[in-house]
Amino acid sequence: MPLLIPTARASAGMAAAYLEKLFSLQGRVAVVTGGTRGIGQAMAISLAKAGADIILIQRDESNLETKRSIEAFGRKAHVYTADLASQEAVGGLSKRILGDGHDVSILVTSAGIQRRHAAHEFPMGDWDEVLQVNLRAVWTLCRDLGAYMLTRAPHPATGHRGSVINVASLVSFQGGITVPAYAAAKGGVAQLTKALSNEWASHGVNVNAIVPGYVATDMNEALINNPERAASILARIPAGRWGKPEDFEGATVFLAGAGSLYVSGELLTVDGGWLGR
């Protein structure tokens, strides 16, 4: 019997169907913090491009650029306002979202703040604010939306119920300089990711974190504006450049979709090779 070789059109169709099976997020709803700029914006838009509707958590509605971009792809975008520096506001956020009937199956915690001081002069107020926004708010949203995901009907073929994608940092592994609060918070995010994975992976909720390397965003403005420090950082990055927000699109879609169903508790570094140096 002769071997049947698919036509170019049939082959392209098979490839498209295969990629859709692994990476399509059609019908999914994602909650994203920090989505108005930088890495968070790229993550939110990548999820929308892959088919998900997006709920953006923002401090206010002064910046609707991400919402408009998502809607331009034909996806729904909702904005819920909350100050992540207020635990009271964070504590009521999930109830507001779920109370409006949103079937959330993806959570991305990208919002973060930075405060830089010498460790021996670090103000307690800045310490508390960094830990609140970068760790306590992450924990609260993971707990509350994760609890909802655990109640969702599992996918009939895979048993999958939801995906949590936290955003850690190189200082989850390294101490950094003049950022003790940020290092403590991001170290906590890394361990929280593993702890939640240990409890939830068997119930169909995958919990992972993306670990950005040095990325040219406003959070790293102090480093970028220090020529000596910026040059020393660049010299250590094997890829030979600082990261860009769009470098995080593929990792985000991967960790949210069916292609990563056996990936949980992972800290996926997107750093141009920094940690391998």
Side-chain angles (χ1 to χ4, degrees), residues 217-218 220-230 242:
T217 63
D218 55 1
N220 285 322
E221 187 174 348
L223 299 179
I224 295 169
N225 291 336
N226 182 331
E228 183 177 338
R229 185 81 192 281
W242 284 55

Side-chain angles (χ1 to χ4, degrees), residues 40-266:
Q41 183 177 56
M43 295 174 83
I45 291 174
S46 71
L47 294 173
K49 287 179 178 179
D53 294 326
I54 310 297
I55 295 170
L56 297 164
I57 308 303
Q58 302 183 189
R59 183 182 304 170
D60 53 48
E61 295 190 37
S62 61
N63 183 350
L64 296 177
E65 178 186 345
T66 306
K67 181 178 187 293
R68 287 191 290 266
S69 296
I70 291 167
E71 291 171 339
F73 292 113
R75 307 313 311 168
K76 295 178 182 177
H78 308 273
V79 172
Y80 282 73
T81 57
D83 183 359
L84 299 185
S86 165
Q87 181 59 23
E88 182 180 0
V90 177
L93 192 51
S94 298
K95 184 178 292 187
R96 288 168 54 197
I97 294 169
L98 299 173
D100 287 341
H102 297 292
D103 182 24
V104 177
S105 66
I106 302 168
L107 170 63
V108 176
T109 61
S110 181
I113 61 172
Q114 182 63 281
R115 300 289 183 267
R116 295 180 182 274
H117 306 280
H120 68 287
E121 298 174 341
F122 209 96
M124 189 57 72
D126 281 1
W127 174 276
D128 290 340
E129 187 179 17
V130 170
L131 268 291
Q132 167 61 40
V133 174
N134 292 12
L135 182 57
R136 196 174 184 194
V138 172
W139 151 245
T140 304
L141 291 173
C142 284
R143 181 194 64 188
D144 296 348
L145 291 176
Y148 171 74
M149 291 181 197
L150 292 169
T151 69
R152 298 182 70 248
H155 187 283
T158 66
H160 188 238
R161 285 187 165 99
S163 307
V164 175
I165 306 171
N166 293 321
V167 176
S169 166
L170 291 179
V171 297
S172 297
F173 308 102
Q174 304 170 331
I177 300 172
T178 70
V179 290
Y182 189 75
K186 290 301 186 178
V189 168
Q191 293 306 110
L192 174 63
T193 297
K194 295 178 181 181
L196 295 179
S197 171
N198 290 342
E199 293 193 38
W200 295 351
S202 64
H203 299 287
V205 176
N206 295 57
V207 187
N208 294 287
I210 289 176
V211 181
Y214 286 93
V215 184
T217 63
D218 55 1
M219 183 172 284
N220 285 322
E221 187 174 348
L223 299 179
I224 295 169
N225 291 336
N226 182 331
E228 183 177 338
R229 185 81 192 281
S232 69
I233 289 170
L234 182 61
R236 181 179 160 167
I237 301 174
R241 66 174 176 84
W242 284 55
K244 300 176 290 186
E246 53 264 38
D247 289 322
F248 296 85
E249 294 184 7
T252 303
V253 173
F254 167 65
L255 290 179
S260 62
L261 290 181
Y262 202 56
V263 179
S264 198
E266 177 66 23

